Amino acid sequence: MTDEEFLLQDRLTKIRSVFHQYGQDKFYISFSGGKDSCVLSELIDMAVPDNQIPRVFADTGIELNIIRDFVRERVAKDDRFQMIKPSVPIKKMLEEKGYPFKSKNHSYWVAKYQDNGCSLEGKAGLQKYVSGYYKNKNGYKSSDNCPNKLMYQFTPDFNIKISDRCCTELKEVPLTKWQKENHKPVAISGIMQAEGGRRKSAVCMYFSHKKLKAFHPLAVVTKEWEEWFINEYNVEICDIYKPPYNFKRTGCKGCPFTLDLQQNLDILQKYFPNERKQCEVIWKPIYDEYRRLGFRLTKKPNGKELF
């Protein structure tokens, strides 16, 4: 048995064990239409054939059209797949709650600062993030510190409202509402530690007040294992991951959190120009700031190089 096969059997056993302990009727899959959730869905079908666990897609209105169409095909073929919508339009939500900038961690602390009346007083964690207090065992500044070039966002002069709540408002809130209405208290997601960021500390089973709230069967697998599984079992994934697009990750189109944002926008410009224009409208305040800083975006909307 290869290492890949051993890990597969381990994950199948884990899924069966959790379902046996808590009951299949308590679960639903948070299905994004992305590669990870496709692998997750296939893995659960392998572990428990003929299961009736719902696959629920939160249609934010700013998912890539090719992803949304991929999910719609699943909905038409398999009644376990469902699509739900957020209760607030994207532009209104961003204006009221705030725009994402750089990362969820950075956006969280900027939001804390702005919500605190543009003051650092009384917020120890915020003070540490801004001051560069966080250091590793060798004394080097942690990646959790605010970069020097973004310190200006912790001044009253910075007037763009920032928040890390975009995904929460557009995806988690409607999914939580669906959970309660359908009596499915446990979400299954394709979160992987290998994705880094906040997800690097993901656990297989997440509990709150001693109750299981989320199940992440893929938490411990690698991207290499995922590719092996897709190829070995012919898992159907969206064409956005294949040539000529070759997206590595998907999500809301043009999301400012995307590390390879310029590359993704270039692909959209070439193959989906109308969606590329939509990105400029939705994220305009952040894109303008990124370009001013020379951060993640190195081109003007018409494709010309900035420098």
Side-chain angles (χ1 to χ4, degrees):
M1 181 181 291
T2 66
D3 290 344
E4 291 83 3
E5 291 169 338
F6 179 84
L7 183 54
L8 171 59
Q9 293 306 315
D10 174 76
R11 293 297 84 196
L12 294 176
T13 299
K14 183 65 175 180
I15 291 169
R16 294 180 189 121
S17 174
V18 171
F19 287 171
H20 177 75
Q21 182 176 357
Y22 294 94
Q24 287 185 46
D25 60 325
K26 301 292 193 302
F27 295 84
Y28 80 98
I29 298 174
S30 177
F31 188 82
S32 70
K35 185 185 294 187
D36 298 345
S37 62
C38 289
V39 167
L40 174 65
S41 180
E42 181 71 19
L43 195 63
I44 288 175
D45 280 347
M46 288 179 64
V48 188
D50 301 319
N51 70 81
Q52 292 302 308
I53 297 172
R55 279 79 165 152
V56 186
F57 174 78
D59 184 5
T60 63
I62 55 172
E63 303 293 323
L64 291 165
N65 290 353
I66 193 171
I67 286 283
R68 191 171 64 248
D69 291 344
F70 176 79
V71 177
R72 282 175 174 166
E73 291 175 3
R74 315 270 86 64
V75 172
K77 296 176 182 177
D78 188 336
D79 59 11
R80 296 178 301 174
F81 287 82
Q82 303 179 36
M83 300 179 76
I84 60 174
K85 291 184 176 293
S87 58
V88 59
I90 176 67
K91 285 294 289 181
K92 181 179 180 182
M93 186 281 298
L94 291 172
E95 290 167 358
E96 292 180 354
K97 302 294 183 180
Y99 288 81
F101 195 104
K102 184 184 179 287
S103 66
K104 287 190 176 182
N105 186 54
H106 178 77
S107 298
Y108 171 83
W109 288 118
V110 176
K112 284 289 185 184
Y113 171 76
Q114 293 178 339
D115 292 343
N116 198 41
C118 292
S119 171
L120 299 175
E121 297 300 321
K123 300 290 183 180
L126 176 57
Q127 292 172 2
K128 291 177 181 179
Y129 178 70
V130 175
S131 68
Y133 176 84
Y134 293 117
K135 295 183 179 180
N136 65 20
K137 63 182 180 180
N138 296 316
Y140 294 105
K141 288 182 67 176
S142 165
S143 59
D144 289 333
N145 293 306
C146 178
N148 289 334
K149 69 186 298 183
L150 297 182
M151 288 292 191
Y152 74 95
Q153 296 185 355
F154 295 93
T155 66
D157 294 334
F158 182 65
N159 57 12
I160 301 175
K161 188 169 179 58
I162 301 297
S163 172
D164 65 334
R165 291 192 57 81
C166 188
C167 288
T168 299
E169 297 295 328
L170 293 178
K171 297 179 181 179
E172 294 178 20
V173 169
L175 283 171
T176 298
K177 181 175 182 290
W178 183 93
Q179 277 186 271
K180 293 179 178 178
E181 292 174 348
N182 291 273
H183 310 291
K184 303 289 184 182
V186 187
I188 314 174
S189 82
I191 288 176
M192 299 168 62
Q193 295 172 1
E195 292 178 298
R198 289 185 176 181
R199 295 187 174 190
K200 64 184 178 183
S201 59
V203 293
C204 186
M205 300 174 70
Y206 171 73
F207 293 85
S208 178
H209 302 291
K210 298 183 179 181
K211 291 184 178 180
L212 180 62
K213 293 296 183 180
F215 180 33
H216 309 308
L218 301 183
V220 299
V221 310
T222 64
K223 287 296 181 180
E224 291 75 17
W225 182 89
E226 182 179 60
E227 291 300 324
W228 169 84
F229 182 79
I230 290 171
N231 294 327
E232 185 73 13
Y233 293 95
N234 297 315
V235 179
E236 187 175 7
I237 60 175
C238 182
D239 287 342
I240 196 68
Y241 296 103
K242 306 171 185 177
Y245 317 117
N246 296 314
F247 266 59
K248 296 178 181 178
R249 295 182 65 175
T250 58
C252 295
K253 63 184 75 172
C255 175
F257 285 154
T258 305
L259 296 177
D260 50 355
L261 178 59
Q262 185 66 64
Q263 179 182 348
N264 285 3
L265 291 179
D266 289 345
I267 295 171
L268 291 180
Q269 180 65 41
K270 184 175 182 178
Y271 299 103
F272 312 109
N274 289 335
E275 293 186 72
R276 173 69 177 82
K277 292 177 182 177
Q278 187 183 7
C279 295
E280 290 293 334
V281 174
I282 295 170
W283 310 113
K284 186 180 188 311
I286 305 304
Y287 282 10
D288 287 348
E289 195 69 0
Y290 277 10
R291 292 188 175 103
R292 187 183 73 80
L293 295 169
F295 178 71
R296 287 192 184 157
L297 295 181
T298 59
K299 298 178 182 179
K300 294 180 180 179
N302 61 9
K304 294 182 179 179
E305 297 289 343
L306 281 181
F307 306 106

